[in-house]
Amino acid sequence: MATLVFFLAVACSILSQTPEFLKSGVDQYLKLTWLLPFIVLIFENLRAFVNYKLFFFYSFVIVFFLYCLTLESVTGIKYVGADVYNIAISLLVTVVSFAYWSKYGNERNLKTLVIILLITGLYLSITVYTQYLSVASLSERTYAFKAKNSMASILLNIIIVAISCYIPKNGILKVASCLSLLLMLVIIFMLKSRATLCGFFFIVFYYVVKYNNFKIRLAVGLVCLVVVIYILINPVAYEIIVEQILFGSRNASDIDDLSSGRVTLFMTQLKKIPGHEFFGTGNYYMDCFPLMMIVQYGIVGSGIVFAFLAKMAYTVTCKFKPRTGICLASYLLFWSAIVNCLFEAQPPFGPGIKCFLIWTMIGFSFATIFTKRKRQSLKLDVV
């Protein structure tokens, strides 16, 4: 039962980004499916929810919520908003994933998870292409699909989990999997979500420079070199990839225009800090997560968030070892989201369910490390 409802929550989280569901508001109900594995696992594996590894998560969410609630009560300015909501969802996904994987984690369930992600991701890609991208021009400055950032991030996260955790050995399945991933990557480029593309380029950089298999590093490096040379010598490819997608059909000589007006917005938000250095100004929105944490919550509130993320960065980078499978997925998901958050308002926590795969893999990684240490301690006790 736990496996069934967990996979149902994963599938519904992906499908919540279906255009029809976004328009009708059904996506809000699909996200609630995470309550199903939460309820089931409370009865099946209650001990996992009070594991000491999760206390840092609980402490962070409680402290940040109380901070925002206190300031809202005292000042009358709204502090409890989207960020608190996104952080709460991320906590829910993390603890549910930890509880599930600590009891049911195995290679078979990991493969099943990847297959579900590939099928739902492929469905989303085809749907967005046929309904929006196929009738739009890449040369247009306006975006064909308004929820492009969320869609592109989810597709990129699916790609990361798939290449990190399970590539089928069977010839037909392997080809089908690779073609599905390639289609998702093409859709990401066509969506022109440049913040997500920055995360993608970070992943490519990692595979070229840091990946532990030299043959893979060499192969990825050579492919990148060939692609770059082809783009540079082919005017049509340069126009499409660089001018229309990477530059978003904007004026490359005007940094404000190239950044979709972010330079002007940055200056506007920075002016709000003086006089509100410690406690911020309350809820605002702008596409730069670190800056907006400082503007909204001040040094104190942003310090709470940044301390948590610094702790997670250390854990993901230094503790999740060996960096293969789930631990590799956690590393790439987390750091690509950190890159993404420089240009968006709510990653790595949101918006909504958008970042759920990051916290799913982090929950899995914590469970994997905990169970390994538990087995090692049991062996020592026996000896």
Side-chain angles (χ1 to χ4, degrees), residues 148-215:
K148 63 181 181 66
N149 291 329
S150 293
M151 178 66 71
S153 292
I154 285 179
L155 293 179
L156 179 61
N157 290 348
I158 291 173
I159 292 173
I160 291 172
V161 174
I163 63 176
S164 301
C165 298
Y166 175 55
I167 297 178
K169 295 180 179 179
N170 178 281
I172 297 176
L173 292 178
K174 189 173 185 178
V175 170
S177 175
C178 291
L179 289 176
S180 298
L181 294 174
L182 181 60
L183 175 60
M184 290 183 218
L185 183 59
V186 170
I187 296 300
I188 290 173
F189 273 84
M190 292 185 70
L191 285 167
K192 299 200 293 185
S193 175
R194 293 179 291 167
T196 304
L197 288 175
C198 288
F200 167 72
F201 291 133
F202 163 79
I203 295 165
V204 172
F205 176 80
Y206 175 83
Y207 270 92
V208 173
V209 177
K210 295 287 290 181
Y211 193 65
N212 56 15
N213 187 316
F214 175 75
K215 291 182 179 179

Side-chain angles (χ1 to χ4, degrees), residues 254-274:
D254 184 346
I255 189 65
D256 191 43
D257 185 53
L258 185 62
S259 64
S260 301
R262 282 185 175 85
V263 174
T264 300
L265 292 172
F266 286 167
M267 296 300 103
T268 302
Q269 296 301 327
L270 286 172
K271 292 177 182 178
K272 296 177 181 178
I273 296 177

